[in-house]
Amino acid sequence: MSDFSAWASAHQSRFEETLKRLLPQPDIMPQRLHAAMRYSVLDGGKRVRPLLAFAAGELAGAPLERVEIAAAAVEIIHAYSLVHDDMPCMDDDVLRRGKPTCHVEYDEATALLVGDALQSLAFQLLSEHLLNEDAATQLQMVRLLAVASGSRGMGGGQAIDLDSVGKQLTLPELEQMHIHKTGALIRCAILLGAHCGHLTQAQFDQLDRYGKCIGLAFQVVDDILDSEADTATLGKTAGKDADNDKPTYVTLLGVSAAKKMAAELHGQAIEALTDLGAPAQRLRELADFIVMRKF
Ligand code: GRG
């Protein structure tokens, strides 16, 4: 096992325990809602956003216990977005992370509440744990997550996505959609991890540039996998974009140009880390993982 795999799996296992502790326990009222929240967050997913936060936190010399709270807030927002994205009023899917989607396992009203409650929990975590000695920095972290997940971030990207069904977007329009829908939260995970420690403004700017490039690369690869991989490997229904008549990098550019674009974005992400030197090695390895992943 490579050093990176060992690092990633140690963090993933420890993080799973952290999530179990931070989520409402299933025996607390209302039990069914809490069980559904835990079902939607635990035991699944690659945990890419948390790993990015951990790598950025290490770079910034941040205490792991603090980064774990920030990473949990981001992952809980991500899980909430998946629950709502899968609902019949959005992408209407039955499979997520190799399991029935939340509204299939429970019901639609519960899935709606799971998303709402997870969103609130994320902000509760960011505001009730000490994440930085400087209160203004911690407040800035709350703001970063709010902007990244709201109408100028993930939520807005989802609105453009829903509106683009059956339409031919230009490349800049598609890029805008993905920068918001997927890129904003990935970028935010990196910045929140770093904000649990200390970096210069120039280093933050370099990290942010990395985050912008790798967030977009993540979605380009997601589009490629949707068209090339099978449902069992993905743990979610493959070929959904084509079925739903959604514009993607693959429909717009073709698979081989989309792969070239992912490689270019990967190169730009790595370049952004140049001045950060050896301490940014985990971020480089995560960039490799994001672009070369098979699921
Ligand atoms: C925030 C106001 C507001 C509403 C939510 C539902 C919604 C709006 C947004 C959905 C955004 C969405 C589902 C984006 C897709 C991002 C994406 C590529 C998801 C898959 O991420 P992975 O591969 O999944 O990291 P795992 O399962 O590994 O965590």
Side-chain angles (χ1 to χ4, degrees), residues 45-46 49 78 80-82 84-85 90 97 149 154-155 158 181-182 218-219 222 236:
K46 297 177 286 297
R49 294 156 192 79
H78 169 59
Y80 132 64
S81 79
L82 299 180
H84 279 191
D85 187 52
M90 295 219 189
R97 295 175 163 178
S149 55
M154 180 181 75
Q158 179 78 346
K181 187 179 88 159
T182 308
F218 187 96
Q219 184 59 51
D222 197 73
K236 60 182 180 180

Side-chain angles (χ1 to χ4, degrees), residues 7 14 21 50 105 144 147 162 171 188 207 234 252 260 267 283:
W7 175 85
R14 188 186 144 121
R21 182 167 47 80
E105 183 71 12
L144 278 172
V147 173
L162 293 171
L171 201 53
C188 177
L207 261 192
L234 292 179
L252 208 62
K260 192 160 164 265
L283 290 166

Side-chain angles (χ1 to χ4, degrees), residues 77-78 80-82 84-85 90 119 123 144-164 176-186 188 246:
I77 290 279
H78 169 59
Y80 132 64
S81 79
L82 299 180
H84 279 191
D85 187 52
M90 295 219 189
Q119 176 164 216
F123 289 100
L144 278 172
L145 187 63
V147 173
S149 55
S151 68
R152 297 290 302 150
M154 180 181 75
Q158 179 78 346
I160 303 172
D161 181 298
L162 293 171
D163 201 40
S164 71
Q176 278 306 303
M177 177 170 96
H178 287 327
I179 278 178
H180 289 89
K181 187 179 88 159
T182 308
L185 196 60
I186 288 180
C188 177
K246 280 196 174 176

Side-chain angles (χ1 to χ4, degrees), residues 21-79:
R21 182 167 47 80
L22 294 174
L23 284 160
Q25 297 306 308
D27 54 345
I28 293 173
M29 205 184 79
Q31 287 93 340
R32 186 175 152 82
L33 176 61
H34 290 158
M37 289 166 74
R38 295 175 74 86
Y39 176 84
S40 304
V41 177
L42 297 174
D43 191 25
K46 297 177 286 297
R47 310 295 193 208
V48 165
R49 294 156 192 79
L51 289 174
L52 286 164
F54 295 139
E58 282 180 18
L59 175 74
L64 178 56
E65 319 80 67
R66 293 186 184 183
V67 185
E68 280 193 312
I69 300 295
V74 172
E75 184 67 11
I76 283 170
I77 290 279
H78 169 59

